[in-house]
């Protein structure tokens, strides 16, 4: 049985030598595939699947795709990366998709214990947790901040970016009386800025913010050049963020950078020994006063993720599904 990840539109990027923008296609497909069998791979459409395949279905799919595979007798896994039950502007469609996938799938996988619990509450079905891998090479831990000009980095998807309370964040950073520059990158950032403007957040007035259109290599560069990565979590949409994967934390640790985040994403608790979590101000000031401890935290974090989140480890988790369906 061959494992085939359904990754709509990914081929167009890959054939041009580009990295797909959708993080789930990388973390839940292309990265682990590098260490899977030569007969495993990805497909653009369900019509490419055969009865010899086990299809992994995640995002950008419709109910008709589940029904097509079921009608053809092709086994498939529904991989749930986000809670979409009764959420979003297409909440009815999203809910129908989630319920249909769970009903017809031969197996359900997910990214966190919180999503596993949510799936059971909604459908009575059990799900298998498959962790996200890191997608960057392990880099040497570095923390040599200049207090007269801190270099701070933020990266995240457009929805996550749009849910950040940036006015609150800048108020916290400015209250510290420390010079800094915040480099932030997200996809289609102009649309995210427009949405935030409608919500009364005017990013253009913040001179210390440098905003960039997301690019795979640019993200790596910004993280590599920063003193630390910040991940402020929305407290106005807890149902949309509490069950998120820790992939941004994992990838930042892989690049040897200290992560500071606020409360809200439960899966981050597993990494609390390696990151700053809670008060943004308190954790920044602690890090500046304790650079050697910061390095130790990053080093221990890298040991942990290499044991639990390396692409090779995660590839084995996906390949084990052959024996579970």
């Amino acid at each position: 049985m061959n494992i085939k990840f359904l990754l709509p539109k990914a081929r167009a990027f890959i054939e041009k030598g580009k990295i797909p923008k959708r993080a789930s296609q990388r973390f839940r497909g292309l990265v682990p595939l590098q260490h899977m069998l030569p007969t495993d791979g990805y497909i653009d459409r369900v019509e490419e699947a055969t009865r010899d395949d086990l299809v992994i279905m995640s995002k950008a799919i419709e109910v008709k795709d589940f029904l097509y595979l079921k009608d053809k007798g092709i086994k498939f896994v529904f991989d749930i990366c986000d809670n979409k039950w009764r959420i979003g502007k297409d909440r009815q469609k999203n809910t129908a998709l989630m319920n249909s996938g769970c009903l017809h799938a031969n197996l359900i996988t997910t990214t966190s214990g919180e999503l596993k619990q949510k799936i059971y509450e909604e459908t009575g079905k059990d799900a298998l947790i498959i962790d996200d891998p890191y997608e960057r090479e392990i880099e040497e831990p570095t923390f040599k901040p200049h207090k007269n000009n801190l270099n701070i980095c933020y990266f995240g998807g457009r929805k996550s970016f749009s849910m950040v309370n940036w006015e609150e964040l800048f108020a916290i950073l400015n209250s510290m009386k420390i010079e800094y520059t915040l480099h932030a990158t997200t996809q289609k950032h102009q649309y995210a800025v427009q949405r935030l403007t409608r919500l009364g957040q005017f990013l253009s007035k913040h001179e210390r913010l440098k905003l960039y259109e997301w690019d795979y290599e640019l993200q790596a560069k910004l993280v590599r050049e920063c003193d630390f990565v910040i991940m402020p979590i929305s407290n106005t949409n807890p149902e949309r963020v509490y069950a998120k994967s820790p992939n941004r934390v994992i990838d930042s640790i892989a690049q040897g950078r200290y992560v500071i985040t606020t409360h809200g994403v439960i899966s981050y608790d597993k990494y609390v020994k390696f990151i700053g979590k809670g008060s943004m101000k308190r954790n920044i000031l602690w890090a500046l006063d304790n650079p050697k401890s910061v390095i130790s935290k990053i080093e221990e974090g890298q040991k942990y993720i290499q044991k639990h989140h390396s692409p090779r480890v995660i590839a084995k988790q996906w390949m084990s599904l052959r024996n579970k369906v």
Side-chain angles (χ1 to χ4, degrees), residues 278-302:
S279 165
M280 188 70 65
K281 182 175 182 178
R282 175 175 55 80
N283 279 294
I284 290 175
L285 293 176
W286 178 87
L288 294 177
D289 289 338
N290 298 274
K292 291 183 179 179
S293 296
V294 168
I295 292 295
S296 295
K297 281 175 171 281
I298 300 171
E299 289 174 342
E300 290 303 308
Q302 288 189 335

Side-chain angles (χ1 to χ4, degrees), residues 103-198:
L103 174 65
H104 297 297
N106 298 92
L107 187 67
I108 303 170
T109 54
T110 191
T111 59
S112 69
E114 292 68 44
L115 271 179
K116 176 185 174 75
Q117 179 62 31
K118 179 65 175 177
I119 293 164
Y120 184 80
E121 290 173 357
E122 293 287 344
T123 68
K125 296 289 188 73
D126 193 23
L128 178 68
I129 297 174
I130 293 186
D131 297 310
D132 279 343
Y134 51 83
E135 61 176 342
R136 316 278 177 173
E137 295 294 327
I138 297 293
E139 299 182 26
E140 182 179 356
T142 301
F143 189 69
K144 298 178 181 179
H146 299 285
K147 292 186 179 181
N148 60 338
N149 188 18
L150 287 180
N151 189 340
I152 305 172
C153 174
Y154 171 92
F155 66 91
R158 183 158 53 97
K159 290 182 180 178
S160 295
F161 181 92
S162 299
M163 287 191 289
V164 171
N165 188 333
W166 292 98
E167 297 297 337
E168 179 181 76
L169 174 63
F170 282 113
I172 292 170
L173 294 175
N174 293 337
S175 73
M176 298 169 60
K177 308 300 182 182
I178 297 175
E179 291 298 317
Y180 69 89
T181 302
L182 174 54
H183 299 272
T185 182
T186 191
Q187 297 167 6
K188 298 181 180 179
H189 69 277
Q190 67 272 25
Y191 296 113
V193 170
Q194 290 172 7
R195 181 178 187 277
L196 286 165
T197 300
R198 293 194 296 270

Side-chain angles (χ1 to χ4, degrees), residues 253 298-308:
I253 292 173
I298 300 171
E299 289 174 342
E300 290 303 308
Q302 288 189 335
K303 291 177 184 177
Y304 181 88
I305 66 170
Q306 288 181 83
K307 181 178 180 180
H308 298 283

Side-chain angles (χ1 to χ4, degrees), residues 162-163 195 234-242:
S162 299
M163 287 191 289
R195 181 178 187 277
S234 168
N235 55 15
T236 57
N237 294 278
E239 73 283 354
R240 300 196 69 161
V241 300
Y242 81 98

